[in-house]
Amino acid sequence: GTDRAACQMPAPSSPNAATALTKPRAGGMPMRRVLVLNCGGTIGMQDTAHGYACGPPGFLSGICRSVPMIHDPAFDLAPHLDAVDAASRGDMLVTPVGEFGTRTLFRIVDYDPLLDSSNMTEKEWVRIASDIAAAYDAWDAFVVLHGTDTMAFTCAALSLFLHNLAKTVVVTGSQIPLVRPRSDGISNFLGALLIAGTFDIPEVAL
């Protein structure tokens, strides 16, 4: 049987389906904290002589730090970390200002080992849902990076497992790794961060 109790969210305080972000952070800049669960998939792979392969822990975060469209290295994060737990502060990244005039604080947490989406089962779905539930109070929204083979199935499963969901959860991935020049992962990841970092949409989006 599935431990559904581990995936219970607090009862939502508002029935609104989608509301634009209005909560200001330090310095008047609206800043949302988004937890990115890197479950695996092509988006975070490295290029090797034998083709694409899973990178070591921290590989995807390192790549994101080197892509100015994803992370703004010139932005001073220090004044905005009071609302972030101490263990996460050294791993935080921040997007450039997006279309809605906001930035998004985010942290990437790698699964170890990374999951092969072609082998996903109910056990992995429950794990992802449980990880979101465990971190629910500490983060404003969630992005799940996932392989494309079973991404739609995982999205559907999470929508059933995450009871009383009142925060945005976006599942995304790519056909080409972020390390490659023609990667679709940059726009997919940026789109996920933009939605999660800007809107309260109480559902699992794909």
Side-chain angles (χ1 to χ4, degrees):
T2 302
D3 184 7
R4 300 285 179 92
C7 305
Q8 284 283 354
M9 309 297 119
S13 58
S14 170
N16 292 341
T19 55
L21 172 66
T22 57
K23 181 172 60 175
R25 295 292 184 191
M29 172 70 80
M31 295 278 273
R32 297 253 286 201
R33 300 158 299 163
V34 175
L35 179 63
V36 179
L37 298 178
N38 178 25
C39 300
T42 302
I43 192 168
M45 287 187 173
Q46 59 183 337
D47 204 1
T48 73
H50 304 288
Y52 300 148
C54 293
F59 176 76
L60 183 58
S61 292
I63 293 299
C64 288
R65 288 187 186 277
S66 68
V67 179
M69 287 186 294
I70 296 177
H71 172 66
D72 183 356
F75 184 77
D76 184 10
L77 279 170
H80 302 272
L81 296 180
D82 289 344
V84 178
D85 66 272
S88 299
R89 291 177 184 175
D91 300 322
M92 296 300 293
L93 296 94
V94 62
T95 65
V97 175
E99 287 87 339
F100 297 96
T102 62
R103 296 178 184 269
T104 299
L105 288 169
F106 67 100
R107 180 192 181 194
I108 300 173
V109 174
D110 297 320
Y111 275 27
D112 187 15
L114 295 169
L115 306 178
D116 183 343
S117 66
S118 64
N119 294 326
M120 295 288 280
T121 67
E122 184 179 6
K123 176 182 177 181
E124 285 73 39
W125 296 335
V126 171
R127 176 184 175 185
I128 297 169
S130 298
D131 287 344
I132 292 173
Y136 192 80
D137 290 335
W139 299 88
D140 298 310
F142 302 87
V143 170
V144 178
L145 299 180
H146 195 286
T148 56
D149 287 344
T150 56
M151 183 187 297
F153 297 108
T154 296
C155 190
L158 291 179
S159 69
L160 297 174
F161 290 171
L162 296 173
H163 298 174
N164 295 328
L165 184 64
K167 298 182 179 182
T168 307
V169 178
V170 184
V171 182
T172 193
S174 71
Q175 297 289 329
I176 302 173
L178 276 176
V179 295
R180 299 300 301 157
R182 201 170 54 85
S183 176
D184 55 325
I186 294 177
S187 59
N188 293 350
F189 190 26
L190 277 176
L193 288 172
L194 178 67
I195 296 300
T198 307
F199 298 101
D200 290 314
I201 305 175
E203 62 183 49
V204 181
L206 178 59

